[in-house]
Amino acid sequence: MTQKKKPKVYITRRLPEVVETRMRELFDAELNIDDTPRSQPELVAAVKSADVLVPTLTDRIDAALIEQAGPQLKLIACFSNGVDNVDVEAAARKGITVTNTPNVLTEDTADMTMALMLAVPRRLAEGARILTDRKGEWAGWSPTWMLGRRISGKRLGIVGMGRIGTAVAKRAKAFGLSIHYHNRNRVRPDTEDALEATYWDSLDQMLARVDIVSVNCPSTPATFHLLSARRLELMQPTSYIVNTARGGIIDEAALIKCLREGRIAGAGLDVFEHEPSVNPKLLKLAAEGKVVLLPHMSSATIEGRIDMGEKVVINIRTFFDGHRPPDRVLPGRV
């Protein structure tokens, strides 16, 4: 009996070892052992020879690249939840299926969102740096030293009440915050009742009334600079903003201006508009204790990355078994 030929799978970045091992067992997989980001010419060569491309969110899979794909490329199995780096419409025109890895990063991202929500008002990073970077400065406990702000009893405004936004709301409610949210559609009544959440169809009105804003919506053309200069100026001068979604949702230059002028009290950012570059003005604000910055690590847990890899494997196997993969991304649904 002739053994079925394994699909050729090109993986653009280093993945957890257990995932890579499984890929090699099941597929003719080309790994990226040194984890160097692939150049555009390397990606072009990959799409001309591979049956499956497994990109990550830092790989630009645009229409020009997809157009150069060979006829054998039938699947782009993204190792990511978001697919804003992939031209899904161009792939569909070429007859290429696109999949992603939803539902596995919700809890990890919500945990980190909550961590930033605590870290910024309570001056966590600033306090830690005093012990490590400014040794000898701490003279001991004082009633008026390093005073932050309590989050219990405050209003949280969630921008994007999807899976992650809802998970953030559950955590925040346990910390004594009242939940407010803006979403394209109102959530189910039972969810709203359980969270005692207040829905705002006007983002402008919500921003003006909450103490903390959490950005949890997807990155789409419609959400680019959703938090614009005008909207940021609606926020209270005692309010904070946390972003663990995508950097481009906030007008970063406008945010820096608001922070510098004291129109917003602080920010916690895990994502940036021009990643991996971080605006030097943000770094200066961080040194001054006005922002907490993290290197896009809200979903970075071992368990989460393995779960993502398992989804990629399932999508590839399902596709080459002749079935519709469970995490197919449809054009127009991004």
Side-chain angles (χ1 to χ4, degrees):
M1 184 175 179
T2 305
Q3 188 175 9
K4 187 177 179 182
K5 184 182 177 183
K6 293 181 179 180
K8 185 175 181 181
V9 177
Y10 185 92
I11 304 164
T12 65
R13 297 297 296 268
R14 186 76 193 268
L15 304 182
E17 191 172 288
V18 64
V19 175
E20 291 182 336
T21 301
R22 191 63 176 145
M23 292 272 198
R24 290 299 297 269
E25 289 173 346
L26 296 173
F27 316 123
D28 177 13
E30 182 174 340
L31 307 179
N32 183 347
I33 300 300
D34 62 7
D35 201 32
T36 304
R38 296 305 191 193
S39 65
Q40 210 64 13
E42 287 174 318
L43 290 175
V44 169
V47 300
K48 286 183 175 180
S49 62
D51 302 309
V52 182
L53 179 69
V54 180
T56 65
L57 58 87
T58 58
D59 299 305
R60 187 181 173 201
I61 314 300
D62 57 14
L65 176 65
I66 291 168
E67 187 57 37
Q68 298 180 72
Q72 82 296 325
L73 183 69
K74 296 300 181 184
L75 178 64
I76 298 174
C78 300
F79 186 88
S80 61
N81 183 24
V83 291
D84 43 299
N85 60 312
V86 178
D87 192 324
V88 179
E89 284 74 18
R93 290 194 297 269
K94 191 83 171 176
I96 301 170
T97 297
V98 177
T99 61
N100 65 341
T101 61
N103 306 328
V104 295
L105 304 178
T106 299
E107 303 303 322
D108 298 328
T109 304
D111 285 346
M112 191 64 85
T113 304
M114 198 68 222
L116 283 171
M117 212 179 295
L118 288 162
V120 180
R122 294 303 305 273
R123 304 172 69 179
L124 195 67
E126 189 180 355
R129 280 197 302 271
I130 286 172
L131 296 180
T132 57
D133 300 345
R134 291 148 62 181
K135 295 177 182 177
E137 182 173 319
W138 185 47
W141 183 86
S142 167
T144 57
W145 189 70
M146 283 297 292
L147 297 182
R149 287 191 176 271
R150 177 187 298 163
I151 69 166
S152 177
K154 300 297 193 296
R155 296 185 180 94
L156 170 65
I158 297 174
V159 182
M161 194 72 153
R163 288 183 297 270
I164 295 173
T166 301
V168 169
K170 290 176 181 176
R171 287 159 172 75
K173 186 174 184 295
F175 276 83
L177 288 106
S178 61
I179 308 303
H180 297 249
Y181 74 98
H182 170 78
N183 205 42
R184 283 188 303 174
N185 302 302
R186 197 164 181 165
V187 300
R188 289 171 40 172
D190 59 334
T191 301
E192 200 170 271
D193 290 345
L195 295 171
E196 300 178 70
T198 301
Y199 172 67
W200 295 86
D201 57 2
S202 168
L203 177 57
D204 289 7
Q205 290 184 22
M206 185 185 79
L207 292 173
R209 290 167 172 82
V210 297
D211 303 294
I212 303 172
V213 173
S214 178
V215 181
N216 301 110
C217 58
S219 174
T220 69
T223 62
F224 178 74
H225 283 189
L226 180 67
L227 277 297
S228 61
R230 180 188 67 79
R231 284 192 166 128
L232 290 170
E233 289 177 4
L234 295 173
M235 293 174 61
Q236 302 174 48
T238 55
S239 63
Y240 302 88
I241 188 165
V242 170
N243 187 8
T244 56
R246 287 290 189 270
I249 297 170
I250 299 177
D251 183 335
E252 201 169 270
L255 175 62
I256 291 169
K257 186 172 186 291
C258 286
L259 289 164
R260 177 60 60 202
E261 295 176 356
R263 298 188 185 191
I264 297 174
L269 306 175
D270 183 52
V271 288
F272 307 94
E273 190 167 347
H274 304 290
E275 289 185 26
S277 297
V278 180
N279 192 312
K281 293 179 180 178
L282 276 178
L283 296 174
K284 185 176 180 182
L285 287 167
E288 295 170 3
K290 295 187 178 182
V291 298
V292 174
L293 306 178
L294 296 176
H296 202 147
M297 56 185 283
S298 64
S299 65
T301 66
I302 294 169
E303 297 86 350
R305 294 290 185 253
I306 291 173
D307 288 345
M308 291 171 70
E310 288 177 350
K311 275 191 168 283
V312 172
V313 169
I314 289 169
N315 282 321
I316 296 172
R317 289 199 69 179
T318 305
F319 181 85
F320 282 95
D321 283 343
H323 304 292
R324 176 172 172 163
D327 302 310
R328 183 183 179 190
V329 179
L330 296 174
R333 299 285 183 88
V334 180

